[in-house]
Amino acid sequence: MPPPTALVVPMTLDAFVFNQKVCDASSVQAKIAPITQPNYTFLRLRDHLAQNDIVDHVDLHSSIPPIRNPRLTDIGKGLVRKNRLGVYVHWSVPRPLRSGVTSTSNKRSKSSNTGADADPEGAGPNAPRFHPLPNRWLVIRVLDPEATVPKNVVGPVRSWVIESDKIQNIDNIPETMDLQVDFAPFITSFIEKDKTANKISVDQQAEIFIGQCMDANEWKESANPNEPRVGLSAASSSNQLFMDYQYHNSNVFSMLDTFTYEQDGGQKCLTSAKANYYVIGWRDGKDKDILSQDTVSKLRADLEVVSREKQIEDLGMAINKSIPAADKTLIDDWLRDDASGRSLCHGTLYDVEWNSESRPQNVLADDFGLTLDAGNSIAVGTTPINSILAYISGTDPNPEIEDSIYQLQAYLRAEDDSIDAYMAAADEVQCTNYAHFDGGTQFALPGTTGGKANTGEDRDKWGAVNSAQKLKDATLRRMQQLRWEIFAWWWKYISDVDNVDKGRTPWYKEQTQVPKDELTLLKKFLSKLDLLVGQPSPPIKSVVMEDFHQREDPTLLLTHCESAWPRDFDKALKVRLNNQLVGDLEKEPPLGSNLHCLPPELREAGKNLFNEFSELLTKSSFTNPKPQDAVLPLYHDGKTPSEDVSTDNPWRDRWGSSQPWFPLYLEWDAEYVHIPADAWSFVQRPGRSTSHIAPKYSYTLKRDVRYPKKEDEDIRSASGRSLLLPQPSFSLRAHFERLFSTIPEPQLDKALSKDRRTRLLANVDKLGFLSVSLDGLTEHLTTLYKGSHVKPLVRPPGGAPVVLDEAAVLGSEIGLSNADMRMIGQESDPTPYGSLASLVGAKKNAFKPVTHGQLRFTKLNVVDKFGQVVHAIDPIAEDPGPIYPHVSQEYAIDAVPALPGEPNVVDPSRSTLDEPEFIQLPPSINQPSRINGHFVVHGPGKDGESYWRPISDWDNPIWGWVVVNYADLGLQFFLQDGTFYREVQITSGTANDVKWLPFESKRADLPSTKQLDWLIIELTKDKNYLKAFMDMIMTALSNTVPVPTAFAQFMNALVGKPLALANMGWSLELSTKYKTNESTIQQQVDATLPWGLLDEGQKQYEFPIKFGDKARNYDGLVGYFDTPRDLEGKTIPSDPENEKDLVLNKIYTYFHEKAPLNGQPLTEINENTCPKFRCFWRDPKDYATSDEKSIEKVVAQHEIDRNGEFQVFGAIFDPFSPITGFSSILPIRTVKLPNWTWESALKKMTSFFHAGPIVVTDDIPDFDKSKELAQDNYMEKFVANGQIAIPSMNIADWAWLQPYDLRTYQEDMSYVGMEVGGEVDQRPKWVKGPLTAVEGFMQLRAPLEQEKQGNAS
């Protein structure tokens, strides 16, 4: 067999039958939408014509009856547009050709948060570049002669050539052509020859169309190199729908077959036919093929010449190199070759049935329309999976699928199979409800393990560098926001219909000057920060800070509607070489196929493809055997991969008597009712019925909000268009498959049996659902608009954005120079409301810094690639019914307080508690923010220093340890490093008798004990306080998880797990300055804002954060102390000399058994007692200095100011587990000790308990001053040959601490350590005296942490 000559890339075809019967639909059937194309008038910059979105929503009011539908009928003449009847064939561009390529060299750090700010021009090697798309398509139709009516009037084979990149100017288009069907509107940054990008005329966009279809017999490749062409790539059109929406890509990626033929000097059409379509696509020039080295070099900055096999791999494709076996060497040689290659795209669709007088046998869109009309087909949740669960829980009487997904969703995150890890994973999954934004970078030193940096000089240096980096990150974020603000004022100006007389131009000029000046200032300041930070290099490593987060818009789920994207769309595309095809590859193709239209080097491959097409056409039975010496085309298999091809599971490349249904996007309208902030309460909601799901924290309504007064109504209308991308079924199945292949089967069996796993995978394939985010909702609530709109800058492929001359002229009218306009960079989306969205008459401020309200849908239209529309609400009905979606727990409505069963919604007239018309949107901040949670330590507390600061790599925040002594009913306290310090016991004596200190402190290097002393004083003042404290700890220890290190088995009976004492700081930070109302309607400009995030509102929002949770054993919090507060709720630093930082008379906790939670001292942690936080943001402008000498000072001040926002708490907690903060408005935040902080302490920590009086036969040695125990030697210093025999104490390594009363020369007791040993016969007997009674302390000489032994657990 000859060697291969081309790579063949598969793609899918769809064919839509359009006739008058298709347009005749009932109220619940799919409608055929009138053709809606981009309105180019809204691109024009002059005369205030610019609009936020140039693509209107589809208008179904004129879709029925057919005579009123302008797609079918010429309304002016009342005649059917026969030129539009026929079969519309659309081919889907393969996924590898849709993807952009970013250079592999000079990669921008993910954590740099630079975006448009590090590369404001958006150019350079990091600018994404896209593969050229095929621009020539040969469409071949093969008719079944037996099914053609009338017969024998057309040949069996006919073909056309589509020139996708051919530019058509409206002045040159004949009047006989149909602009909506014969050409495609194109929004592009096309640059005419001899012109630069800034000369692009926006006005000419309305005159530009592309695409051409010609009979292949008449077509010839143009020899004119100057003929206007557009460079086609996945990103060359500004229209997101361009490649996939047939209305927008006629004769570019689709064509209309009208079945016309010539007869008796005129044109007639076949009334019935069965057609088979084959489409082959290629690039007109070798140098732009995806396998051309010229193309590769433009996409790869490293200019490396790579083999064809490497190119195929980089494109996300896969090839079977072993078939046919006889040609393996030829295939390997072709793949290893690094010369430019050629490729063809190809797609097939068999058995398309055309009948001009009837609807197709199966109309899948109608089936979905009936399902949608019947209700129970819509669900709303936070994520696709969450929405699926909401649907299943509301419809499936057997919750096995729901329970299975819940369990496996958690296991995707869990690190082990314990219930606690399971619950932690379920909580962590909540992070998927949020969009994540870069939080900045910090630098870490090597060799900091164990709390010791290289040198003190290093610590100071890199501490200052990290402070500078924080200010740099904040500056970059603000600069990015300012770039958009400049764009926003430019946009408001060009679109302001109230400024026709230019009367408001001075005001716009004044407003634009503010962000322009600030951005100029910050750019200069940034250069100074860059010098201060420098370019850290290895061994210095960069680490990311906590991301900023913003809750995603709700996710809408549509059930009983499968995604039409190929099921393997997200996998590597299976490609072949032309010598791997099926059939007789050398057979000459029939007349009419016109394969001569292909370039000479591709004709052999084209012939091979057509012969395969013909071979598979004749072998249409479901038992078609798989060839052994060829590779079947990708889509020549069953719709469901796990089943054999059959009538119920037909080939994917056959039409199957079914009108295709390819849902492409969803258009929605909704009514949002804002409910006042003071109507909400932060509470704990019970989890779902499954026992492993812990309660969740959320906001609910605490008062009746039904039927608000007219003057209190705050209603907004919102709308959006959301693309239906190939998910979530792909991602969900991929998650499960990955899970089942990576987790050991015995562990999986604990969560889900093998049978249930099999059933789950089968059900995921057959569920049939589409999910989509309600994109645009948050934008509307913040007076922004998402859509396709004109932008002041245009970016040529691979180049930097340049300012359009027309945009620059208008910018100059408000004081923006060309350089000022360039500063916008890529920040030109979304658009501000300006004067475009009509808010005239709105009583309330339309801007909502925080969402908290209820929403109901007023329109839901699902639009497919051929213009079929399925609606959930009848657009023509006078009184359409409501939508009752299944709602996840996060969006569930509440009952009216004190009225169980009554839905607490603003308009309950069409709602019940089980079937609410509204979904409830609890409070969420409408801009990125984050919870800062850190362990904190004291700064110097002097001028120019923070009193509290987050710990660094070398800081140990622990200021004490507490261990329960069960034997003595006491609490033993240890210092930070594990040194024993005090014991406090519950005794029958006075309060002063309960504090015990066995050793004299002689160490000069001890950390400060002042905080620990204040706590011990509080414990010894009041026995009730001590008893409550012990009750809390002992109850908590019975709930905590096992420690990760080994303890001796007998230790658990003697002492409890060590608990750490440390201070933690929490704050709530905005990523940038608060957003504002972007409407320029005067009524909105003057409107007051009731609540604001900072100081922009009449009141400031406060958000509670709840620490720890009793039901979540993975959380380590036992209790916490508050600190003194000022009137704003901020922590007041204490006097650094005494360190009395904590309010110790009240302990906040969940844990108690005997002691009441009455505030004396134990106080229950709940929604009423958890601390509340206000947002903060530090404006970099306040620190921007031009003085080189003061740069370090302002950096330090920024650090002080940020740290000053911490609310500080003293925590008692399990050192092995994190402390968790729950807020509902943001992802769960945790703080956890570095391992080294407790590992070193536990190696030193030991246990003591009181013993005696005990009678021994031998006297104790005299006091030896040289053997007196102190805090630095009590583990090793023992009296030589000193031994005391105590019964039954030989099971461990014990020491006896013998007190000596030496008050003649010192006030306290002194202690000497002795060995415990000797054989003791415990049988009763007479012993010769004298006997000695001793009383002292038993010390376990081994530390609490031991190396793993055979007898350790």
Side-chain angles (χ1 to χ4, degrees):
M1 185 177 290
T5 59
L7 183 76
V8 295
V9 181
M11 60 185 183
T12 56
L13 297 190
D14 292 292
F16 175 75
V17 172
F18 182 69
N19 57 30
Q20 189 166 348
K21 293 293 184 180
V22 168
C23 295
D24 192 5
S26 68
S27 61
V28 298
Q29 288 178 311
K31 308 298 187 293
I32 304 301
I35 294 176
T36 304
Q37 291 185 331
N39 188 332
Y40 294 108
T41 302
F42 297 157
L43 288 175
R44 290 177 174 168
L45 298 174
R46 295 286 182 183
D47 303 322
H48 311 286
L49 294 173
Q51 293 281 335
N52 306 82
D53 193 357
I54 64 171
V55 181
D56 293 328
H57 281 207
V58 296
D59 182 9
L60 295 184
H61 292 86
S62 58
S63 59
I64 55 174
I67 197 171
R68 292 176 51 192
N69 191 329
R71 179 177 181 183
L72 175 72
T73 306
D74 185 332
I75 304 300
K77 298 179 180 179
L79 300 175
V80 173
R81 301 177 187 266
K82 292 185 177 180
N83 67 300
R84 296 186 176 184
L85 304 181
V87 172
Y88 289 80
V89 180
H90 176 268
W91 46 95
S92 183
V93 175
R95 185 177 67 90
L97 301 186
R98 297 170 180 258
S99 304
V101 177
T102 304
S103 168
T104 56
S105 61
N106 299 319
K107 287 184 179 178
R108 183 181 302 141
S109 170
K110 176 183 179 246
S111 62
S112 63
N113 191 44
T114 50
D117 294 294
D119 185 15
E121 303 293 323
N126 287 316
R129 299 161 188 257
F130 291 82
H131 298 281
L133 297 179
N135 58 355
R136 300 290 182 270
W137 304 91
L138 178 63
V139 181
I140 304 172
R141 181 193 69 193
V142 178
L143 294 176
D144 180 353
E146 300 302 319
T148 301
V149 178
K151 294 182 181 299
N152 303 321
V153 294
V154 294
V157 181
R158 187 180 177 185
S159 55
W160 301 263
V161 172
I162 305 294
E163 291 189 56
S164 296
D165 62 347
K166 186 175 179 62
I167 292 178
Q168 309 277 2
N169 191 287
I170 194 169
D171 295 333
N172 301 324
I173 296 176
E175 292 184 2
T176 56
M177 304 297 286
D178 190 332
L179 284 178
Q180 292 187 318
V181 173
D182 295 328
F183 307 100
F186 196 62
I187 313 166
T188 183
S189 57
F190 168 69
I191 304 170
E192 295 181 34
K193 189 175 180 63
D194 300 326
K195 286 189 178 182
T196 54
N198 59 298
K199 301 296 183 182
I200 293 173
S201 173
V202 176
D203 289 343
Q204 289 181 2
Q205 287 287 336
E207 303 173 358
I208 298 298
F209 293 81
I210 63 171
Q212 174 178 278
C213 177
M214 290 186 64
D215 190 295
N217 288 314
E218 303 171 3
W219 181 82
K220 186 177 181 181
E221 184 68 71
S222 172
N224 180 10
N226 297 320
E227 186 174 3
R229 299 280 179 178
V230 67
L232 271 183
S233 72
S236 58
S237 173
S238 301
N239 179 4
Q240 287 181 304
L241 302 173
F242 176 66
M243 285 193 296
D244 299 303
Y245 194 27
Q246 191 278 321
Y247 279 15
H248 292 180
N249 61 33
S250 294
N251 290 333
V252 177
F253 301 118
S254 65
M255 67 156 281
L256 168 61
D257 183 2
T258 59
F259 295 93
T260 58
Y261 60 93
E262 299 287 337
Q263 190 177 69
D264 301 330
Q267 274 197 346
K268 295 186 178 181
C269 301
L270 297 178
T271 58
S272 181
K274 179 181 283 189
N276 306 280
Y277 293 98
Y278 200 63
V279 179
I280 301 174
W282 69 95
R283 282 297 308 192
D284 61 330
K286 297 179 182 179
D287 59 331
K288 293 184 180 179
D289 195 287
I290 58 172
L291 295 183
S292 165
Q293 289 294 349
D294 289 340
T295 301
V296 172
S297 65
K298 291 176 182 177
L299 295 173
R300 297 173 62 104
D302 52 23
L303 301 180
E304 178 186 356
V305 176
V306 296
S307 67
R308 292 168 180 164
E309 185 171 13
K310 175 62 175 172
Q311 292 180 56
I312 292 170
E313 179 185 337
D314 290 346
L315 283 163
M317 300 175 179
I319 188 168
N320 186 337
K321 299 185 290 184
S322 61
I323 298 177
D327 290 347
K328 189 176 186 310
T329 301
L330 294 175
I331 294 172
D332 288 341
D333 290 344
W334 189 92
L335 290 172
R336 281 194 295 265
D337 198 340
D338 59 10
S340 294
R342 286 295 258 157
S343 63
L344 286 172
C345 291
H346 67 102
T348 308
L349 192 63
Y350 298 107
D351 302 337
V352 179
E353 299 166 4
W354 159 250
N355 191 303
S356 62
E357 300 299 326
S358 64
R359 295 164 66 88
Q361 180 178 332
N362 303 308
V363 181
L364 302 179
D366 287 350
D367 297 339
F368 179 56
L370 291 169
T371 302
L372 203 58
D373 182 69
N376 287 331
S377 296
I378 299 172
V380 178
T382 57
T383 64
I385 294 177
N386 184 255
S387 302
I388 293 170
L389 296 172
Y391 170 73
I392 295 173
S393 64
T395 58
D396 191 353
N398 179 2
E400 178 182 312
I401 299 175
E402 177 195 19
D403 190 60
S404 298
I405 294 177
Y406 257 124
Q407 294 190 46
L408 294 175
Q409 179 194 27
Y411 264 98
L412 290 173
R413 295 275 184 168
E415 296 178 358
D416 58 62
D417 60 353
S418 68
I419 292 297
D420 301 306
Y422 203 86
M423 293 167 63
D427 285 335
E428 191 177 343
V429 168
Q430 292 185 34
C431 290
T432 60
N433 303 352
Y434 297 86
H436 307 290
F437 303 86
D438 184 47
T441 305
Q442 291 285 269
F443 301 104
L445 285 168
T448 55
T449 302
K452 296 180 180 179
N454 294 346
T455 65
E457 183 179 348
D458 284 338
R459 293 197 296 268
D460 294 341
K461 173 187 175 182
W462 289 105
V465 169
N466 279 332
S467 295
Q469 181 65 38
K470 288 178 189 174
L471 183 52
K472 177 182 175 180
D473 290 332
T475 302
L476 287 169
R477 289 192 294 268
R478 177 60 178 150
M479 289 173 65
Q480 187 172 359
Q481 186 181 34
L482 288 167
R483 296 182 194 282
W484 181 87
E485 288 182 13
I486 294 173
F487 161 74
W489 283 111
W490 175 86
W491 175 267
K492 292 174 188 177
Y493 175 69
I494 69 163
S495 62
D496 189 352
V497 295
D498 297 323
N499 191 36
V500 176
D501 61 357
K502 304 291 184 180
R504 302 180 70 177
T505 299
W507 177 71
Y508 278 112
K509 189 172 184 178
E510 179 184 345
Q511 297 299 321
T512 305
Q513 192 69 30
V514 176
K516 186 178 77 169
D517 289 348
E518 186 174 343
L519 183 56
T520 301
L521 173 67
L522 292 182
K523 286 180 72 175
K524 295 177 181 178
F525 182 52
L526 182 64
S527 64
K528 294 180 174 61
L529 291 173
D530 281 334
L531 291 174
L532 190 59
V533 173
Q535 294 291 332
S537 57
I540 302 301
K541 60 181 181 180
S542 62
V543 294
V544 296
M545 294 181 67
E546 170 72 11
D547 282 346
F548 290 97
H549 314 275
Q550 183 177 339
R551 183 173 290 165
E552 299 270 23
D553 288 325
T555 296
L556 183 76
L557 183 80
L558 303 171
T559 63
H560 303 95
C561 180
E562 295 182 16
S563 172
W565 295 94
R567 65 167 186 267
D568 34 22
F569 185 84
D570 62 333
K571 295 182 172 62
L573 186 68
K574 296 179 181 179
V575 296
R576 301 173 295 165
L577 298 178
N578 64 300
N579 66 337
Q580 297 179 302
L581 307 184
V582 176
D584 182 358
L585 304 184
E586 300 305 317
K587 181 180 176 182
E588 288 301 317
L591 293 175
S593 58
N594 288 303
L595 294 171
H596 68 274
C597 294
L598 275 68
E601 70 274 11
L602 289 174
R603 288 172 188 166
E604 182 67 22
K607 181 179 73 173
N608 301 153
L609 283 168
F610 185 83
N611 287 335
E612 178 184 69
F613 164 73
S614 302
E615 176 79 8
L616 297 178
L617 171 63
T618 59
K619 295 182 178 180
S620 59
S621 67
F622 295 119
T623 58
N624 183 15
K626 185 176 181 180
Q628 300 300 311
D629 58 350
V631 180
L632 282 171
L634 175 60
Y635 301 113
H636 190 69
D637 58 0
K639 184 178 179 182
T640 302
S642 58
E643 300 177 6
D644 293 333
V645 176
S646 65
T647 304
D648 296 326
N649 186 39
W651 304 102
R652 287 196 284 174
D653 57 4
R654 297 190 184 277
W655 199 66
S657 301
S658 296
Q659 186 83 297
W661 168 237
F662 197 117
L664 189 60
Y665 65 94
L666 177 138
E667 294 179 340
W668 59 271
D669 289 347
E671 178 185 272
Y672 169 82
V673 183
H674 199 61
I675 297 175
D678 54 12
W680 299 85
S681 178
F682 181 65
V683 299
Q684 177 177 288
R685 284 177 179 262
R688 292 183 179 266
S689 58
T690 45
S691 60
H692 54 273
I693 301 300
K696 294 184 178 181
Y697 297 95
S698 183
Y699 286 85
T700 61
L701 290 169
K702 61 183 179 183
R703 70 170 189 239
D704 191 343
V705 299
R706 296 175 299 171
Y707 304 114
K709 296 179 181 179
K710 211 65 173 168
E711 61 270 19
D712 295 332
E713 284 185 346
D714 191 355
I715 301 175
R716 289 292 321 281
S717 294
S719 62
R721 180 186 300 110
S722 304
L723 299 184
L724 290 164
L725 301 174
Q727 59 163 350
S729 56
F730 298 142
S731 59
L732 187 58
R733 181 179 178 84
H735 279 324
F736 292 155
E737 288 175 340
R738 177 178 61 84
L739 182 72
F740 296 162
S741 64
T742 56
I743 293 183
E745 189 164 333
Q747 185 172 328
L748 274 175
D749 289 339
K750 296 178 182 179
L752 213 62
S753 68
K754 188 171 183 178
D755 288 343
R756 287 184 64 180
R757 297 198 297 272
T758 302
R759 290 198 300 272
L760 177 62
L761 285 178
N763 284 322
V764 165
D765 283 337
K766 298 178 180 179
L767 272 178
F769 50 76
L770 296 172
S771 73
V772 64
S773 173
L774 295 178
D775 290 339
L777 174 60
T778 298
E779 280 76 12
H780 276 291
L781 297 182
T782 50
T783 57
L784 303 172
Y785 201 106
K786 292 182 72 172
S788 298
H789 57 273
V790 66
K791 298 182 180 182
L793 284 80
V794 63
R795 182 171 64 192
V802 296
V803 183
L804 294 172
D805 283 355
E806 296 175 56
V809 170
L810 291 171
S812 67
E813 296 176 7
I814 55 174
L816 292 174
S817 66
N818 202 288
D820 296 331
M821 295 286 288
R822 282 200 304 273
M823 289 196 299
I824 294 173
Q826 302 175 68
E827 303 304 321
S828 54
D829 198 53
T831 56
Y833 262 24
S835 64
L836 299 180
S838 179
L839 293 173
V840 176
K843 298 177 182 178
K844 306 288 185 179
N845 194 318
F847 174 75
K848 311 300 177 191
V850 178
T851 297
H852 40 82
Q854 295 176 342
L855 176 142
R856 64 178 168 187
F857 294 105
T858 55
K859 179 178 81 175
L860 274 181
N861 291 338
V862 184
V863 185
D864 102 317
K865 67 158 60 176
F866 292 108
Q868 298 177 98
V869 182
V870 174
H871 49 77
I873 298 176
D874 191 344
I876 302 174
E878 293 183 4
D879 184 22
I883 294 175
Y884 296 117
H886 300 285
V887 181
S888 71
Q889 185 181 26
E890 289 78 4
Y891 296 135
I893 65 168
D894 306 309
V896 177
L899 291 176
E902 289 294 320
N904 198 9
V905 293
V906 289
D907 179 6
S909 61
R910 301 194 297 183
S911 293
T912 65
L913 200 58
D914 294 329
E915 284 194 332
E917 181 183 7
F918 288 84
I919 65 173
Q920 186 158 289
L921 302 177
S924 62
I925 299 174
N926 286 333
Q927 66 182 83
S929 57
R930 68 181 172 196
I931 296 172
N932 295 315
H934 302 277
F935 286 110
V936 295
V937 294
H938 284 138
K942 302 174 183 177
D943 291 342
E945 298 284 354
S946 301
Y947 185 77
W948 293 108
R949 63 173 177 81
I951 62 170
S952 58
D953 289 338
W954 48 84
D955 289 317
N956 188 338
I958 298 170
W959 48 266
W961 293 89
V962 59
V963 175
V964 175
N965 181 348
Y966 293 110
D968 291 339
L969 282 181
L971 296 174
Q972 296 181 356
F973 291 92
F974 296 80
L975 300 182
Q976 179 190 83
D977 62 354
T979 300
F980 183 83
Y981 185 59
R982 294 282 196 280
E983 180 174 81
V984 178
Q985 297 177 1
I986 298 177
T987 71
S988 59
T990 63
N992 291 330
D993 291 334
V994 298
K995 184 169 66 173
W996 173 63
L997 172 65
F999 322 118
E1000 180 184 1
S1001 175
K1002 295 182 179 180
R1003 288 177 52 190
D1005 63 336
L1006 283 176
S1008 172
T1009 63
K1010 291 178 182 178
Q1011 287 201 77
L1012 194 55
D1013 289 336
W1014 285 116
L1015 176 58
I1016 292 173
I1017 290 171
E1018 196 73 32
L1019 288 166
T1020 57
K1021 282 195 309 187
D1022 183 353
K1023 285 187 179 180
N1024 290 329
Y1025 186 103
L1026 176 57
K1027 289 179 179 179
F1029 192 90
M1030 286 197 66
D1031 182 53
M1032 171 188 71
I1033 290 180
M1034 294 173 73
T1035 305
L1037 289 175
S1038 67
N1039 283 272
T1040 57
V1041 297
V1043 297
T1045 53
F1047 276 72
Q1049 289 181 345
F1050 54 84
M1051 282 302 303
N1052 292 325
L1054 300 175
V1055 295
K1057 184 185 351 181
L1059 298 178
L1061 300 166
N1063 296 327
M1064 57 182 184
W1066 297 75
S1067 62
L1068 181 57
E1069 181 181 11
L1070 299 180
S1071 67
T1072 56
K1073 187 177 181 179
Y1074 56 80
K1075 294 182 178 180
T1076 58
N1077 194 327
E1078 297 296 340
S1079 173
T1080 57
I1081 295 173
Q1082 196 60 46
Q1083 194 172 6
Q1084 287 295 310
V1085 173
D1086 298 336
T1088 58
L1089 188 65
W1091 293 83
L1093 291 173
L1094 298 178
D1095 56 0
E1096 77 278 22
Q1098 293 177 318
K1099 298 179 182 178
Q1100 187 173 357
Y1101 281 103
E1102 291 185 325
F1103 302 97
I1105 298 179
K1106 187 173 181 290
F1107 301 138
D1109 187 72
K1110 188 175 183 179
R1112 291 168 165 84
N1113 287 351
Y1114 69 83
D1115 181 90
L1117 184 68
V1118 174
Y1120 66 87
F1121 305 101
D1122 206 346
T1123 50
R1125 309 258 173 219
D1126 61 16
L1127 295 178
E1128 295 183 356
K1130 294 183 179 180
T1131 295
I1132 301 174
S1134 71
D1135 183 353
E1137 295 300 321
N1138 61 36
E1139 297 183 16
K1140 193 172 184 180
D1141 301 311
L1142 306 177
V1143 178
L1144 297 171
N1145 61 0
K1146 187 175 289 187
I1147 310 171
Y1148 296 87
T1149 187
Y1150 303 97
F1151 303 102
H1152 72 112
E1153 186 172 312
K1154 299 176 182 178
L1157 296 177
N1158 59 2
Q1160 299 178 358
L1162 301 187
T1163 301
E1164 183 180 10
I1165 300 175
N1166 57 36
E1167 57 270 17
N1168 297 317
T1169 61
C1170 56
K1172 294 178 174 60
F1173 291 78
R1174 294 181 177 183
C1175 295
F1176 83 92
W1177 173 71
R1178 291 292 172 181
D1179 192 344
K1181 175 171 61 68
D1182 297 338
Y1183 305 91
T1185 178
S1186 58
D1187 184 3
E1188 299 279 352
K1189 298 180 180 178
S1190 61
I1191 184 71
E1192 294 183 4
K1193 184 176 180 180
V1194 298
V1195 165
Q1197 188 59 50
H1198 177 260
E1199 182 78 7
I1200 293 168
D1201 292 343
R1202 286 188 80 256
N1203 294 341
E1205 299 291 342
F1206 280 126
Q1207 291 189 40
V1208 178
F1209 306 89
I1212 310 162
F1213 61 102
D1214 179 350
F1216 314 114
S1217 301
I1219 299 175
T1220 311
F1222 302 89
S1223 69
S1224 178
I1225 60 168
L1226 286 167
I1228 293 168
R1229 182 75 164 99
T1230 61
V1231 294
K1232 189 175 182 181
L1233 287 173
N1235 288 356
W1236 66 264
T1237 59
W1238 51 262
E1239 286 174 344
S1240 58
L1242 292 186
K1243 284 181 169 64
K1244 188 172 185 179
M1245 204 179 296
T1246 187
S1247 178
F1248 301 84
F1249 67 90
H1250 179 270
I1254 299 172
V1255 177
V1256 296
T1257 57
D1258 298 317
D1259 196 5
I1260 60 174
D1262 292 334
F1263 177 73
D1264 183 348
K1265 180 66 175 175
S1266 66
K1267 302 300 182 182
E1268 183 180 6
L1269 297 181
Q1271 285 182 327
D1272 59 348
N1273 65 15
Y1274 70 89
M1275 296 284 286
E1276 307 92 15
K1277 202 168 187 179
F1278 297 94
V1279 175
N1281 301 318
Q1283 192 175 80
I1284 186 166
I1286 297 179
S1288 301
M1289 297 304 293
N1290 57 353
I1291 61 173
D1293 187 7
W1294 292 93
W1296 175 262
L1297 304 185
Q1298 177 61 46
Y1300 289 84
D1301 187 355
L1302 303 174
R1303 295 184 184 179
T1304 55
Y1305 58 89
Q1306 68 178 43
E1307 182 179 348
D1308 293 325
M1309 294 279 187
S1310 292
Y1311 289 81
V1312 172
M1314 302 180 186
E1315 301 279 358
V1316 174
E1319 295 295 328
V1320 178
D1321 186 353
Q1322 300 182 49
R1323 291 175 298 175
K1325 58 184 176 180
W1326 291 103
V1327 179
K1328 184 178 180 180
L1331 302 179
T1332 304
V1334 295
E1335 188 172 7
F1337 294 89
M1338 296 295 298
Q1339 174 201 0
L1340 184 67
R1341 293 174 64 180
L1344 294 187
E1345 183 195 56
Q1346 297 183 355
E1347 299 297 330
K1348 289 188 177 181
Q1349 303 290 337
N1351 64 339
S1353 61

